[in-house]
Amino acid sequence: MPELPEVETVRRGLAPAMEGACIGRLELRRADLRFPFPPDFAERVSGTRIVGLGRRAKYLLIDLDSGETVVAHLGMSGSFRVEQESESELPGAFHHTRSKDEKHDHVVFHLEGAEGAIRVIYNDPRRFGFMDILPRVDLDNYPTFRQLGPEPVGNTLDAEGLAVRFAGRSQPLKAALLDQSNIAGLGNIYVCEALWRAGLSPKKPAGTMVTPAGKPRKELVRLVEAIRVVIADAIAAGGSSLRDHIRTDGTLGYFQHTFRVYDREGHACANPECDGTVARIVQSGRSTFFCSRCQK
């Protein structure tokens, strides 16, 4: 499942083609994806102009000049493809092959912009993604977004706010970080990486990160900074499941080349001051990778 950095990379790849463009026609090639399309979906989108392309957690937001917003989720296998005349581009092209088989092209945005006619095509072989539309003013009350916590980018995530959410919680830290009501958009990979960078055990009770007075301990401040850095680094590298990003020195730069613990069971800990070994445990049905020697 694409995580926040992957979705943000896709958003940035689509923005040049979509922002400011008019949607001459929205073509639906089937009646549903994971869920049926909203009533009159094509009619409500066709003829509008895209005023902005945003993201909330792992969801793309397409803001229209009609005052409505299209909410799109990639699911397990969804991707967008931009086609202009004879050229075809897959923004945020995935390292694990994404389908270009036209039989899985389910939604087509026929755009009219400064660069001429463009098609933005949503392809999804497994159809676990979905699209919805609602008034922009109702977005905060959208069922999927209503309980979401702050984003792990920008200035909305801070140790003080997280202390309020963690106070009195006996839940393991790993589970608390995956809880979307605490932080929006964090997934398994980046939680493991952030905990390693912060030197914190995934089994540590979340409530121990907060003082009796409800203030964040220094460990929580350190964790918030680690989360920010991990997400920023992953976005800069194009995510973990996206295509190879070439650095100026010619080396591959996509984020999974810099994993410190995720999927590294049995490897030596990457901390040069630690002689531990990365272990794998299962928490809430998910694999957790960590170093028990330096993560306390």
Side-chain angles (χ1 to χ4, degrees):
M1 181 75 74
E3 296 194 19
L4 185 153
E6 286 82 358
V7 178
E8 176 62 17
T9 303
V10 171
R11 185 198 70 79
R12 294 181 184 188
L14 289 173
M18 298 190 76
E19 288 186 335
C22 293
I23 304 173
R25 179 167 62 98
L26 179 67
E27 178 184 356
L28 305 179
R29 296 183 174 176
R30 56 179 302 112
D32 59 6
L33 294 171
R34 190 194 321 175
F35 311 116
F37 290 113
D40 303 320
F41 183 45
E43 290 77 7
R44 291 161 70 179
V45 174
S46 298
T48 63
R49 184 172 63 86
I50 300 171
V51 297
L53 207 64
R55 179 194 52 75
R56 181 69 168 112
K58 304 174 186 179
Y59 300 83
L60 287 172
L61 305 177
I62 305 171
D63 290 325
L64 309 175
D65 65 357
S66 63
E68 294 193 296
T69 296
V70 174
V71 178
H73 191 270
L74 297 175
M76 294 290 290
S77 61
S79 63
F80 284 93
R81 188 171 76 252
V82 179
E83 290 187 350
Q84 182 177 9
E85 295 179 352
S86 61
E87 298 181 1
S88 179
E89 179 185 356
L90 193 70
F94 292 83
H95 176 67
H96 301 293
T97 304
R98 263 1 193 208
S99 170
K100 289 187 178 181
D101 189 335
E102 292 186 2
K103 71 182 179 184
H104 301 305
D105 290 349
H106 304 311
V107 181
V108 183
F109 292 80
H110 295 269
L111 305 181
E112 301 165 359
E115 302 299 322
I118 298 173
R119 298 198 311 162
V120 175
I121 301 164
Y122 179 73
N123 181 293
D124 193 349
R126 300 180 69 180
R127 299 202 309 273
F128 285 169
F130 71 84
M131 291 188 189
D132 203 351
I133 187 170
L134 70 156
R136 174 72 189 184
V137 295
D138 294 338
L139 205 57
D140 287 343
N141 291 320
Y142 187 60
T144 306
F145 299 158
R146 194 178 298 144
Q147 302 300 322
L148 285 180
E151 292 275 328
V153 295
N155 298 318
T156 57
L157 177 66
D158 57 40
E160 288 74 16
L162 209 53
V164 173
R165 292 175 168 83
F166 283 2
R169 301 282 292 275
S170 60
Q171 184 182 34
L173 197 50
K174 166 77 180 300
L177 292 173
L178 286 176
D179 185 339
Q180 299 296 292
S181 67
N182 290 327
I183 304 176
L186 277 189
N188 197 40
I189 292 173
Y190 301 110
V191 168
C192 289
E193 292 293 307
L195 286 170
W196 179 85
R197 293 198 190 198
L200 295 170
S201 170
K203 299 184 285 185
K204 188 180 184 72
T208 62
M209 307 286 286
V210 184
T211 69
K215 299 296 183 180
R217 296 188 186 275
K218 62 181 181 180
E219 292 86 357
L220 186 54
V221 175
R222 193 167 71 234
L223 175 60
V224 167
E225 180 59 24
I227 292 169
R228 290 178 183 274
V229 171
V230 165
I231 294 298
D233 286 353
I235 290 172
S240 297
S241 62
L242 300 181
R243 69 178 175 186
D244 294 354
H245 170 78
I246 306 299
R247 296 193 183 100
T248 54
D249 63 0
T251 59
L252 294 174
Y254 67 97
F255 192 70
Q256 68 188 59
H257 285 180
T258 64
F259 283 168
R260 296 297 185 264
V261 286
Y262 187 81
D263 202 25
R264 289 180 55 81
E265 180 183 7
H267 287 257
C269 179
N271 183 346
E273 299 179 357
C274 176
D275 59 358
T277 302
V278 175
R280 173 186 173 273
I281 60 174
V282 177
Q283 293 178 292
S284 303
R286 307 290 299 276
S287 292
T288 296
F289 300 91
F290 75 112
C291 174
S292 61
R293 186 174 295 272
C294 66
Q295 290 180 247
K296 303 297 184 181

